[in-house]
Amino acid sequence: AQSVTQLDSQVPVFEEAPVELRCNYSSSVSVYLFWYVQYPNQGLQLLLKYLSGSTLVESINGFEAEFNKSQTSFHLRKPSVHISDTAEYFCAVSPSGGTSYGKLTFGQGTILTVHP
Amino acid sequence: GAVVSQHPSWVICKSGTSVKIECRSLDFQATTMFWYRQFPKQSLMLMATSNEGSKATYEQGVEKDKFLINHASLTLSTLTVTSAHPEDSSFYICSAILTGGRQETQYFGPGTRLLVL
């Protein structure tokens, strides 16, 4: 079984400031790691994912996350946020194989609010 | 990108009635769809895996007779909440995997908010 903990339920930040959204996970098997974003009244959208290889993964809109196996973390960062980044962010894991392949376990979500 | 729709987006019903929620993949075929549930201030929890042409597989603690899932075509899965009660009030979200695509690429619907009075 897997579990995901997002350490902050809400993160307020000013525009152009850096931000870090924290995510820790536990699992007895190898996992894939994901960050999803949900804008108001929209479905979850994949922001970025770690499957294998380089532990630092990036999204097209400036976010990045680093997989740290020893600390079982997958924190999301952005050096300079915009108002349009205001949304709820979900960290998730899924087993990388076996019968549970593809089944996502989500964290509780972090609401990022960017103020002007 | 791939689009998944859900209908209705919200529904209010009386206790004891049944409610059907549709999940459609609009521009791709999906052999596998997932149904999640999210209670207020809680995380999304996987309820079941919907497989086209076969029975759904349910997660532990989810009543299969209460939450009926039908995946009759490659673009449609339905979740029917039978004899709904107030405790079934929740946000129901589906996701779909592009047939032939990688299991880790899921496309999510916008969700259906159910309120049972």
Side-chain angles (χ1 to χ4, degrees):
Chain A
Q2 295 79 44
S3 68
V4 178
T5 302
Q6 290 181 243
L7 297 159
D8 307 293
S9 59
Q10 297 192 51
V11 174
V13 65
F14 286 108
E15 194 172 18
E16 297 183 5
V19 71
E20 178 180 79
L21 306 184
R22 296 178 292 170
C23 172
N24 286 93
Y25 72 94
S26 68
S27 177
S28 56
V29 299
S30 295
V31 295
Y32 294 145
L33 296 141
F34 307 84
W35 276 99
Y36 284 88
V37 58
Q38 185 173 33
Y39 299 102
N41 301 315
Q42 295 186 28
L44 290 168
Q45 300 174 28
L46 180 65
L47 189 60
L48 47 74
K49 61 185 177 184
Y50 170 77
L51 304 181
S52 64
S54 173
T55 57
L56 184 65
V57 291
E58 299 177 352
S59 72
I60 59 173
N61 56 354
F63 283 93
E64 63 179 32
E66 185 159 20
F67 169 51
N68 188 319
K69 189 174 183 179
S70 63
Q71 297 185 7
T72 60
S73 68
F74 192 54
H75 302 329
L76 181 70
R77 302 183 183 95
K78 189 170 185 178
S80 176
V81 294
H82 302 289
I83 297 286
S84 59
D85 293 324
T86 294
E88 188 161 16
Y89 292 79
F90 292 90
C91 182
V93 301
S94 78
S96 59
T99 57
S100 295
Y101 184 43
K103 296 182 178 181
L104 291 167
T105 300
F106 285 88
Q108 297 88 337
T110 298
I111 297 174
L112 173 65
T113 304
V114 181
H115 298 282
Chain B
V3 177
V4 175
S5 70
Q6 284 185 239
H7 178 80
S9 55
W10 59 271
V11 57
I12 301 174
C13 69
K14 293 181 179 180
S15 185
T17 61
S18 294
V19 175
K20 180 185 284 188
I21 302 170
E22 294 184 349
C23 176
R24 291 182 186 273
S25 54
L26 297 185
D27 50 1
F28 66 100
Q29 293 183 330
T31 305
T32 303
M33 292 183 174
F34 297 97
W35 285 96
Y36 295 85
R37 178 170 54 184
Q38 184 180 28
F39 291 109
K41 299 190 184 301
Q42 295 186 30
S43 181
L44 284 80
M45 298 293 291
L46 179 65
M47 298 175 65
T49 303
S50 173
N51 300 297
E52 188 269 337
S54 64
K55 291 183 178 180
T57 55
Y58 292 80
E59 296 302 301
Q60 192 172 10
V62 178
E63 300 175 57
K64 61 180 68 176
D65 294 330
K66 182 168 185 63
F67 299 99
L68 301 179
I69 292 173
N70 185 7
H71 194 152
S73 77
L74 287 171
T75 59
L76 174 64
S77 175
T78 60
L79 169 68
T80 301
V81 184
T82 61
S83 186
H85 289 94
E87 58 266 30
D88 298 323
S89 298
S90 188
F91 192 48
Y92 293 86
I93 304 168
C94 72
S95 70
I97 294 176
L98 180 69
T99 297
R102 302 180 64 153
Q103 291 281 84
E104 66 272 11
T105 304
Q106 295 188 33
Y107 301 95
F108 284 83
T112 296
R113 196 165 298 281
L114 170 64
L115 177 61
V116 184
L117 301 177

